[in-house]
Amino acid sequence: MTNWGLIGASTIAKEWVIGAIRATGGEVVSVMSTSAERGRAYAGEQRIAKSVTALADLLDDPKIDAVYISTTNELHRDQALAAAKAGKHILCEKPLALSLDDARAMIAAAEAAGVVLATNHHLRNAATHRAMREAIKAGRIGRPLSARVFHAVYLPPHLQGWRLDKPEAGGGVILDITVHDADTLRFVLDDDPVEAIAFSQAGGMGKAGLEDAVMGVLRFGSGTIAQFHDGFTTKFAETGLEVHGTEGSLIGRNVMTQRPTGTVTLRDADGEHELPLDHRNLYETTLAAFHAAIAGKGTPSATGEDGVWSLATGLAVVEAARTGHAVRIEPGLRAP
């Protein structure tokens, strides 16, 4: 059994990750919150044996094999570096950090310590996205030419907080949602983005100059172009991902979501075909792959390198929206 420590008493851990850890053979034995009161209450509600207020107290616990980092984005780097130094495997929320240098430092520290570092990009584990990837690899739509992502949602009040009013924490819709689009597109297309253009919007929810919606286009290495629309302000839209090729189109609906739901339709010369889907909990798939990776059996579903790619794309979108110019996407990773 893998014993986990939570760095951050977060909503996502409560709603999704703790259950996924337990469902895949792990257990959460400690949680760190800088608020002792919040930590005690959280531990009691989630049946976690121990709560601490200092990172060192969690990392010094010999019972803990792995940590899940779900604090605000500006804290990820230092917490991950400390976890790696302590010999703990690391599952980190996206974005990995606020700069590419910091994200690459996290990867280097994990490699030096011999621990697994993974990014919690859950959407690549959706049955819908896996079916789309397989259909493209099988040639069912010919050569992909273009894609469209609809990921404009309404950010519920209990999640608004720092995402809308703390630029220094990496708030705003781009580093929260566009990074997920980038990872999902990379996974589905099996291709890397090379350039971004974008316009951002302040629609009234974001404060301190933070964007709460963005539209843009990514160009991929193969020449495929992908349009995206992300938002915190959109109450009544559905999510979707489409990929259009020379011989057909894949139409995914209600697929950019944490829930195991959605449909994928293949449209080609023979008509419309619903792709068969085996819906499973996305986070359980993530944790099963992570537990296997730390046992030396395979790799995480989204590695640290995948996290660097999505961060590089998000930062390029931020810069493109700021300047009004196309921006190259350059993760600066070592060649494999």
Side-chain angles (χ1 to χ4, degrees), residues 67-68 76 101 118 123 128 181 184 189-190 194 272 284:
V67 297
Y68 171 52
H76 291 177
D101 284 346
L123 289 173
T128 49
D181 298 354
T184 305
L189 297 172
D190 195 20
V194 296
E272 292 193 356
E284 290 180 15

Side-chain angles (χ1 to χ4, degrees), residues 132-146 188-189 222 224 243-250 266-269:
M132 294 176 83
R133 175 184 167 96
E134 291 167 5
I136 292 169
K137 283 186 172 296
R140 298 187 70 180
I141 65 167
R143 179 167 59 90
L145 297 174
S146 61
V188 169
L189 297 172
S222 66
T224 302
V243 182
H244 306 285
T246 55
E247 306 298 331
S249 292
L250 292 165
L266 170 64
R267 294 178 183 165
D268 60 16

Side-chain angles (χ1 to χ4, degrees), residues 100-111:
L100 290 174
D101 284 346
D102 287 350
R104 289 190 294 261
M106 293 162 66
I107 291 175
E111 289 177 348

Side-chain angles (χ1 to χ4, degrees), residues 27-267:
E27 185 52 86
V28 180
V29 299
S30 184
V31 58
M32 187 214 82
S33 172
T34 53
S35 165
E37 181 180 359
R38 174 178 169 81
R40 283 193 298 269
Y42 191 96
E45 292 167 1
Q46 303 305 316
R47 296 180 287 111
I48 299 170
K50 185 177 179 182
S51 66
V52 299
T53 57
L55 181 63
D57 290 338
L58 184 137
L59 295 178
D60 288 344
D61 189 336
K63 294 180 181 177
I64 293 175
D65 307 302
V67 297
Y68 171 52
I69 299 175
S70 59
T71 49
T72 52
N73 302 327
E74 84 283 10
L75 301 175
H76 291 177
R77 182 201 63 179
D78 288 351
Q79 291 168 341
L81 295 181
K85 185 176 181 181
K88 313 299 185 184
H89 301 288
I90 304 158
L91 175 61
C92 186
E93 265 307 319
K94 54 74 212 168
L96 282 183
L98 296 184
S99 76
L100 290 174
D101 284 346
D102 287 350
R104 289 190 294 261
M106 293 162 66
I107 291 175
E111 289 177 348
V115 299
V116 173
L117 169 65
T119 311
N120 195 24
H121 275 308
H122 60 285
L123 289 173
R124 59 169 53 208
N125 291 320
T128 49
H129 298 140
R130 293 194 166 200
M132 294 176 83
R133 175 184 167 96
E134 291 167 5
I136 292 169
K137 283 186 172 296
R140 298 187 70 180
I141 65 167
R143 179 167 59 90
L145 297 174
S146 61
R148 295 199 297 165
V149 182
F150 321 108
H151 202 174
V153 297
Y154 182 70
L155 188 66
H158 74 282
L159 294 179
Q160 290 179 8
W162 66 269
R163 289 175 173 84
L164 294 170
D165 60 18
K166 287 188 71 176
E168 68 277 12
V173 75
I174 296 171
L175 291 185
D176 198 62
I177 292 184
T178 307
V179 290
H180 276 313
D181 298 354
D183 185 72
T184 305
L185 286 165
R186 282 188 69 240
F187 177 76
V188 169
L189 297 172
D190 195 20
D191 198 0
D192 292 326
V194 296
E195 191 174 22
I197 58 172
F199 288 103
S200 61
Q201 180 185 59
M205 286 180 66
K207 302 174 180 64
L210 286 173
E211 82 287 342
D212 50 31
V214 63
M215 285 187 178
V217 178
L218 303 176
R219 185 188 303 279
F220 284 76
S222 66
T224 302
I225 54 176
Q227 176 192 65
F228 59 91
H229 174 205
D230 302 323
F232 287 151
T233 55
T234 315
K235 293 183 178 180
F236 305 109
E238 66 177 4
T239 69
L241 172 60
E242 301 176 358
V243 182
H244 306 285
T246 55
E247 306 298 331
S249 292
L250 292 165
I251 311 297
R253 287 291 178 264
N254 297 312
V255 296
M256 305 299 288
T257 173
Q258 295 169 302
R259 297 179 296 279
T261 186
T263 61
V264 179
T265 303
L266 170 64
R267 294 178 183 165

